[in-house]
Amino acid sequence: MLFRRIYQFLIVYSIGLISLLLIKTALSLSDYVIPGFGLILETFQEVFDTYFLDAMNTMSVTVLGQCVSIALAFGVGIAGRRSSWMGSFIKVTAYNIQAYPIVALAPIIFILLGDGFISRLLIASMICYFPLLLSVLGIMATPVEDIEHFYIITGRMRWQLEVKIRAFENLSKLTTVISGSATLAMAGTIVAEFIAANAGIGYSIRVALYQSDLAKILIALFLIGIIISIYQGCLETLGEQIKTRWSVSKGGNPR
Amino acid sequence: MKKKRIHILAVFLFTALLSVASADEIELNYRLKWLFNTSVAGDIYADAKGYFSEAGLKVHVREGSPEKNAINELELGHADFGVASADQVIRALDKGAKIRVLAQLFQVNPMQWIYRADQPRIKTLDDLRGRNIGITFGGNDETVMNTLFAKAGITSKDVKITGVRFDFTPFFKREVDVWPVYFNSQGVILKDRLEKEGERVYFFNPADFGVNFVANSVISSEKVWKNRPEVVKKFMDALLKGWEAAMDPANEADVLMEVKKQDKESNDELRRLQLIATRELIKPSAGVKIGTMDVEAWKQTEAIMLNEKQIKKPVHVESVLKQ
């Protein structure tokens, strides 16, 4: 899973890079517009250390932001799973708020909270929170009738058990959603850094853009891509392992 | 029926005449460096007052931004002329771009720093020590400030550097003492806002301390410059005529009206103050011809960038200055 993610990214990145170099050759463009391969390699050696640290900085905010949003989404999703008025209210509110483009709020967040760590974390978690919430709400609000029925009839149903059943019966769906939300969290962090922060790979891209340095931007994109691929691959592998262990503990076939 | 036919014929002839007239016009794209505002009053005025069409040109004046870079557009053929700062030009030359500089619009660089008058005045570079100075990392203000530091022997321990963006809050909250601004746009806005609060301000101009970093200039590709000299001449004559007229105080009301049509963000009084400030930078004295190249300043700009390792080798920028 992990390696598949990495080589898929490498293939896509290489195709993009080759296309750019073909355009450069076809239109006889200077290194200022599209850098040549030699210049990209040279820039890679120059900025790799700094950009790698910047990308890891962004990644740390991404992971933290995603954890916050997962916790929030599960909290609200569990509270909103019931068909009571409270559950319906939470669902309707979530559907309506998620329609609002969160990025548009970023400047207000930066004015109020400054351009430090908290603003980046908040924007990252907000951007990945709502899509995550909608999926969690959908999963938690849908009963797994053939299993739940037994517990309801025997009077042993508790809310914790209900949540457990629904979560584990939809484990692959949840794994996919959580892994997908990593990209959103990363995008949110980069957008935040690009708009106003003073750290992270998004900020480095902004600086490179001021200097019209496409070579630096390409290297930043490479690092973002490779790091997010590894992270997503790890999340998917973890999800697979949890699923396997759960199936084995139930005495079922892991596949 | 006959009357109707005559009408149709007249409309047809009129349309045909119009299209013949417009077919004679040479269509050009002109990419500015930034958004429409008073800083580009001359470009707006040349277009609005028909200086281009008088020269037989139909010029599409387009706004710029960090993403809409004139040099890229010249190479890609999306623009015929553009505006770029000296650091962009020198960086592009370092990477093999074939461009020519046709006129230097700003005789004084608008990139300056603002600070409150209740702080000690910066009379020498040593007065920068101990202050919290705002810098746009990656911007040309960083290069200029680093040069000033090197000149005064100031190290990072002697000052506090804060990375800044477009949000002025840290300056208003006094978290940053000395804030980078474009003298004729943000400088005017900040000065106005602080004066309304009863605070006076000073500007710190690097040129007063011997650092002349060239700002915006009109550029074209080597291809256009070599192959279409008559178009280059027509365009530059019309553009500079527009700028001369726009900077003439006698045309102030008219210029402000034309700028207002394009820039609806600022209020009338701010636009007027911005125009006065722009005049000081474009035409510092009556004797200065708009567009004059300050070759020594260009050479100094290149030397600064070389020293700051922003370019890898000398580019001999003076060889691409064509007037």
Side-chain angles (χ1 to χ4, degrees):
Chain A
M1 195 77 82
L2 176 63
F3 292 106
R4 200 177 63 197
R5 279 262 174 209
I6 294 172
Y7 70 69
Q8 275 173 352
F9 164 72
L10 288 176
I11 291 170
V12 172
Y13 186 83
S14 306
I15 291 172
L17 196 61
I18 290 166
S19 311
L20 274 178
L21 293 173
L22 285 176
I23 294 171
K24 176 184 168 68
T25 315
L27 300 177
S28 314
L29 300 173
S30 72
D31 280 353
Y32 184 77
V33 182
I34 298 176
F37 192 67
L39 181 62
I40 296 173
L41 271 184
E42 200 182 308
T43 313
F44 184 85
Q45 286 165 351
E46 269 173 31
V47 300
F48 177 77
D49 293 352
T50 326
Y51 275 26
F52 180 73
L53 290 176
D54 287 341
M56 291 315 288
N57 185 322
T58 301
M59 195 63 209
S60 60
V61 179
T62 300
V63 175
L64 208 58
Q66 201 190 4
C67 291
V68 170
S69 56
I70 290 171
L72 267 173
F74 270 89
V76 178
I78 289 166
R81 77 190 190 287
R82 298 209 166 265
S83 47
S84 60
W85 74 267
M86 179 57 101
S88 307
F89 175 75
I90 290 173
K91 265 179 270 181
V92 171
T93 312
Y95 285 124
N96 283 303
I97 293 178
Q98 70 90 34
Y100 194 81
I102 299 301
V103 177
L105 296 175
I108 300 174
I109 293 171
F110 280 110
I111 287 172
L112 295 177
L113 300 173
D115 54 9
F117 170 76
I118 296 292
S119 302
R120 288 157 73 205
L121 181 68
L122 192 61
I123 292 168
S125 36
M126 277 167 80
I127 284 182
C128 89
Y129 166 64
F130 286 107
L132 205 56
L133 174 64
L134 295 187
S135 303
V136 173
L137 264 176
I139 288 167
M140 289 300 160
T142 313
V144 186
E145 279 170 4
D146 48 345
I147 301 175
E148 289 179 21
H149 179 71
F150 168 76
Y151 293 102
I152 294 167
I153 293 293
T154 54
R156 287 160 62 193
M157 181 57 102
R158 298 282 177 274
W159 73 266
Q160 294 95 327
L161 186 60
E162 188 181 272
V163 168
K164 239 183 194 174
I165 292 168
R166 291 177 190 182
F168 281 98
E169 283 306 309
N170 291 287
L171 203 56
S172 38
K173 216 188 269 181
L174 278 174
T175 310
T176 311
V177 169
I178 289 172
S179 147
S181 73
T183 316
L184 286 174
M186 185 77 152
T189 315
I190 292 172
V191 166
E193 291 165 354
F194 196 80
I195 296 173
N198 276 333
I201 197 73
Y203 176 62
S204 300
I205 293 177
R206 180 87 196 163
V207 171
L209 193 64
Y210 273 137
Q211 300 170 341
S212 308
D213 199 331
L214 188 59
K216 282 184 181 169
I217 295 173
L218 287 172
I219 287 151
L221 293 180
F222 175 77
L223 285 169
I224 291 169
I226 204 90
I227 287 173
I228 196 74
S229 300
I230 293 171
Y231 180 53
Q232 280 189 318
C234 289
L235 283 177
E236 282 164 358
T237 310
L238 193 70
E240 281 295 312
Q241 280 180 357
I242 293 173
K243 214 159 59 181
T244 311
R245 279 190 192 167
W246 172 250
S247 304
V248 168
S249 70
K250 279 203 306 188
N253 186 348
R255 294 281 150 191
Chain B
M1 188 69 179
K2 200 178 171 186
K3 213 173 175 181
K4 200 178 172 187
R5 274 187 194 160
I6 291 169
H7 273 139
I8 293 171
L9 193 68
V11 169
F12 176 76
L13 279 173
F14 182 70
T15 317
L17 274 172
L18 266 184
S19 59
V20 167
S22 60
D24 284 345
E25 281 187 331
I26 301 164
E27 214 160 320
L28 298 170
N29 287 319
Y30 178 41
R31 172 67 74 188
L32 301 178
K33 185 164 182 277
W34 197 241
L35 308 175
F36 286 131
N37 61 29
T38 324
S39 287
V40 296
D43 302 311
I44 294 173
Y45 203 65
D47 188 30
K49 289 289 144 184
Y51 289 94
F52 290 133
S53 46
E54 267 172 31
L57 305 173
K58 187 176 181 189
V59 180
H60 302 283
V61 184
R62 300 183 200 281
E63 289 183 311
S65 69
E67 297 80 21
K68 293 173 196 159
N69 177 322
I71 300 173
N72 286 348
E73 297 217 344
L74 290 178
E75 278 211 42
L76 291 164
H78 300 325
D80 305 282
F81 297 93
V83 176
S85 56
D87 62 314
Q88 285 181 317
V89 169
I90 292 168
R91 243 184 228 119
L93 291 172
D94 185 45
K95 289 183 178 169
K98 290 185 167 55
I99 47 176
R100 292 289 178 265
V101 181
L102 308 172
Q104 181 184 326
L105 291 176
F106 282 95
Q107 299 303 314
V108 179
N109 196 328
M111 180 72 254
Q112 299 181 13
W113 276 262
I114 191 171
Y115 61 102
R116 287 179 172 83
D118 59 12
Q119 291 182 0
R121 190 134 197 199
I122 303 171
K123 290 178 185 156
T124 67
L125 289 179
D126 270 339
D127 295 333
L128 288 171
R129 287 178 203 272
R131 305 208 192 201
N132 189 340
I133 300 169
I135 278 178
T136 320
F137 289 120
N140 54 21
D141 55 316
E142 184 187 11
T143 314
V144 171
M145 191 48 90
N146 283 344
T147 308
L148 291 164
F149 288 160
K151 217 172 169 195
I154 295 173
T155 65
S156 54
K157 286 176 194 162
D158 302 322
V159 286
K160 187 171 181 228
I161 300 295
T162 304
V164 305
R165 296 279 178 99
F166 300 116
D167 170 31
F168 302 131
T169 314
F171 182 66
F172 288 133
K173 286 162 79 179
R174 289 179 180 263
E175 288 166 6
V176 176
D177 307 320
V178 191
W179 188 270
V181 286
Y182 281 93
F183 174 77
N184 57 332
S185 51
Q186 300 151 318
V188 172
I189 296 169
L190 279 179
K191 187 174 179 237
D192 179 67
R193 279 179 71 173
L194 288 173
E195 278 178 356
K196 279 179 184 155
E197 301 291 322
E199 293 189 277
R200 281 179 50 245
V201 295
Y202 293 133
F203 285 92
F204 168 69
N205 181 4
D208 296 339
F209 300 89
V211 174
N212 292 300
F213 200 87
V214 179
N216 294 359
S217 297
V218 183
I219 56 164
S220 184
S221 64
E222 188 185 68
K223 203 165 112 189
V224 169
W225 183 75
K226 269 188 180 165
N227 301 339
R228 302 170 79 188
E230 73 296 340
V231 173
V232 174
K233 189 175 178 335
K234 278 182 182 176
F235 175 80
M236 288 312 296
D237 286 350
L239 181 71
L240 294 178
K241 229 195 257 180
W243 266 105
E244 287 286 356
M247 293 299 107
D248 184 348
N251 296 329
E252 189 174 282
D254 201 21
V255 173
L256 287 171
M257 203 177 70
E258 293 303 335
V259 173
K260 189 179 180 177
K261 285 181 193 165
Q262 305 285 346
D263 167 27
K264 294 184 172 63
E265 297 297 316
S266 317
N267 64 47
D268 291 346
E269 181 53 13
L270 271 182
R271 259 192 302 270
R272 194 183 69 81
L273 295 172
Q274 286 177 332
L275 184 63
I276 293 168
T278 303
R279 212 179 281 143
E280 285 175 38
L281 307 170
I282 301 274
K283 203 173 170 70
S285 63
V288 174
K289 200 176 155 224
I290 293 180
T292 305
M293 303 272 197
D294 184 347
V295 182
E296 286 313 307
W298 276 94
K299 284 183 186 172
Q300 193 188 18
T301 307
E302 181 184 337
I304 290 170
M305 291 181 72
L306 198 58
N307 200 38
E308 285 290 312
K309 296 190 174 56
Q310 299 232 348
I311 51 172
K312 292 190 169 86
K313 55 183 188 303
V315 295
H316 307 291
V317 69
E318 64 278 9
S319 64
V320 301
L321 309 180
K322 307 289 173 191
Q323 209 162 20

